[in-house]
Amino acid sequence: LLKQWREVLFDGSNKVASEVMDNFPRLYFGKMERQKFTVSPIGAGLLVSIDDVHNALIKLDNNNQLTKGLIIYDEVHNLGTENRIVKISDISKKIIYKLGLSATPDKGDYKKEMTEAIKSNIGDVIYKFDLKKAIERGILCEFKYIPLNYAIGKEDHQYRKSILARINQRKQEGRPMSEMEKNIELSKVYKKCKNKLLAFEDYIKKDPNILESTIIFVEDSFFGDEVLEILQNNTISYRTYYGNDDASILKDFVKANIGVLVTCNAISQGIDIPSLKNIVIFSSNKSSKGETIQRLG
């Protein structure tokens, strides 16, 4: 996200970006340049991660600069964790100009308190740009949703029984699981069900074009390895892209040099891939519907 913002702001052909740079001729990037910004913030800007922003705010607070600045949180829903909220809550009240950007500002039924915490730190929603408008403007597009039907197998049923037994044991011990914990545990049965792979393989035979400009989201790298076994029998143009992989792999995919990218959550949000045609979701987080919405976006 930070790199994308920097590329946009330094794009001379972008009129809005040029206007921003006219007002903020000094733009600092990342925590390595944070100190330069906090020493001389007037007429300057700082692009920094959501986990490092509190360090910049503390310095600005000490120098009585908070009331003169503007802070913009991209993907503001990421601010909604207890650790991050605690770090910025006191300081945030001193910042007059605050803006949060997100396609999924609501943290969901299981994290309502975090949604409220974001609102209390940033403010109420002041502008909405809905899906219909985004499609009409050509920013987003319509898509077909095709479910792949499958049934859990014998091993999956056994796995589910073991989870239910563990849930029951926790209850008897007087430390019952929350509804969220139960759902997370039970969802693993379906997220890792191997019959999904058979359904996917059958679909490829019917429509091999599904392997052109496609991102495949999997639960973990172990399930990803099983997906790769199917891919190697149907295409030679595929790679994995997990958290620590070389960023050049993603660039090659964006340039359409790679046909299929298998990933977990490394590119669940904030990525612009104009050439993308298909996404395959083998698993999604029920307790965080925002993640699935971000992937679709």
Side-chain angles (χ1 to χ4, degrees):
L1 270 178
L2 291 179
K3 289 178 181 177
Q4 285 190 28
W5 270 101
R6 183 164 65 174
E7 287 173 6
V8 168
L9 289 171
F10 282 102
D11 180 1
S13 64
N14 188 313
K15 292 182 180 180
V16 177
S18 297
E19 194 174 325
V20 172
M21 295 305 290
D22 287 342
N23 286 281
F24 300 92
R26 289 180 294 116
L27 182 64
Y28 298 103
F29 184 78
K31 59 184 178 182
M32 298 297 290
E33 295 187 321
R34 184 206 321 132
Q35 186 173 358
K36 292 180 182 178
F37 169 75
T38 53
V39 168
S40 181
I42 304 299
L46 173 67
L47 279 169
V48 70
S49 76
I50 205 162
D51 282 317
D52 191 50
V53 67
H54 68 283
N55 291 315
L57 295 179
I58 289 169
K59 284 282 187 181
L60 293 173
D61 188 27
N62 292 339
N63 296 332
N64 297 315
Q65 295 289 343
L66 283 182
T67 57
K68 303 174 184 177
L70 160 69
I71 184 166
I72 301 174
Y73 289 99
D74 195 8
E75 306 293 5
V76 71
H77 54 273
N78 289 332
L79 193 64
T81 69
E82 192 169 339
N83 188 42
R84 288 169 178 163
I85 286 291
V86 166
K87 286 180 179 178
I88 65 128
S89 283
D90 290 339
I91 299 175
S92 187
K93 295 171 186 174
K94 302 178 183 180
I95 306 169
I96 297 175
Y97 303 106
K98 293 171 284 191
L99 180 66
L101 309 173
S102 177
T104 54
D106 192 321
K107 295 291 288 182
D109 293 340
Y110 296 107
K111 298 180 181 178
K112 288 182 178 178
E113 72 282 0
M114 284 295 106
T115 302
E116 291 305 313
I118 293 171
K119 282 185 179 180
S120 67
N121 278 274
I122 308 300
D124 292 325
V125 175
I126 58 171
Y127 179 73
K128 288 184 179 181
F129 186 69
D130 64 24
L131 190 62
K132 186 173 182 288
K133 289 179 183 176
I135 292 173
E136 288 172 349
R137 285 266 297 271
I139 295 168
L140 297 180
C141 65
E142 297 177 51
F143 62 88
K144 292 180 181 178
Y145 177 76
I146 303 170
L148 296 182
N149 298 313
Y150 69 96
I152 62 174
K154 187 176 180 180
E155 289 183 8
D156 302 310
H157 278 294
Q158 288 299 118
Y159 183 33
R160 190 173 186 275
K161 282 182 180 180
S162 69
I163 292 173
L164 290 172
R166 191 161 68 249
I167 291 172
N168 190 47
Q169 184 179 353
R170 284 273 301 268
K171 185 178 180 180
Q172 290 177 351
E173 292 173 353
R175 47 190 192 93
M177 289 187 185
S178 65
E179 284 302 310
M180 182 177 175
E181 286 178 300
K182 290 177 187 176
N183 284 327
I184 288 172
E185 287 300 310
L186 289 169
S187 69
K188 291 176 183 177
V189 177
Y190 301 93
K191 287 179 179 179
K192 299 182 180 182
C193 177
K194 293 185 179 181
N195 283 352
K196 281 184 179 180
L197 297 167
L198 298 175
F200 178 57
E201 192 166 20
D202 287 342
Y203 188 83
I204 292 174
K205 292 173 183 175
K206 296 174 187 175
D207 183 9
N209 292 327
I210 195 67
L211 299 182
E212 293 179 9
S213 300
T214 301
I215 291 177
I216 299 178
F217 290 103
V218 294
E219 172 66 8
D220 52 38
S221 60
F222 299 105
F223 194 90
D225 288 342
E226 298 191 59
V227 172
L228 294 182
E229 290 182 20
I230 294 174
L231 294 178
Q232 65 188 9
N233 293 326
N234 293 277
T235 180
I236 59 171
S237 184
Y238 64 89
R239 294 292 299 272
T240 57
Y241 187 71
Y242 301 125
N244 298 319
D245 286 322
D246 190 336
S248 64
I249 295 172
L250 181 58
K251 289 180 180 178
D252 278 339
F253 180 73
V254 172
K255 293 176 182 177
N257 295 330
I258 298 171
V260 182
L261 206 61
V262 179
T263 186
C264 290
N265 54 11
I267 51 176
S268 286
Q269 62 181 18
I271 302 294
D272 183 24
I273 307 174
S275 62
L276 189 67
K277 293 180 181 178
N278 311 293
I279 62 170
V280 179
I281 301 180
F282 274 108
S283 71
S284 61
N285 191 340
K286 185 177 180 181
S287 64
S288 178
K289 290 182 180 179
E291 180 182 83
T292 302
I293 294 169
Q294 289 281 343
R295 288 175 176 181
L296 296 177

